[in-house]
Amino acid sequence: LALDFIEIFSQQLHHPKESDHLFRLLRQRSSSLDAELNELDRQHERDAALLAELRAQSLARSEGREG
């Protein structure tokens, strides 16, 4: 349930709004924040990978395949 919330809120709603709208508009106004915005995009990608790993581990544990 917690993973579902994180996935739905952050991965499907929050991060796409930032990357597709806010970051794009900020980049159009100025390049002074490009490094920070690029880092935030990398963090979004990292978060998605970590969430997928956590979901796989949770599924394995629930199926009795710990490890």
Side-chain angles (χ1 to χ4, degrees), residues 37-54:
L37 296 174
N38 290 340
E39 175 59 26
L40 288 169
D41 279 331
R42 281 190 291 279
Q43 289 177 15
H44 289 176
E45 291 172 10
R46 182 207 61 207
D47 291 351
L50 290 171
L51 182 59
E53 182 181 336
L54 185 58

Side-chain angles (χ1 to χ4, degrees), residues 16-38:
K17 284 181 183 178
E18 283 184 332
S19 294
D20 297 342
H21 303 289
L22 178 62
F23 296 173
R24 181 179 54 81
L25 292 173
L26 289 170
R27 283 186 172 102
Q28 287 175 354
R29 290 187 109 190
S30 170
S31 62
S32 66
L33 295 174
D34 282 355
E36 290 83 356
L37 296 174
N38 290 340

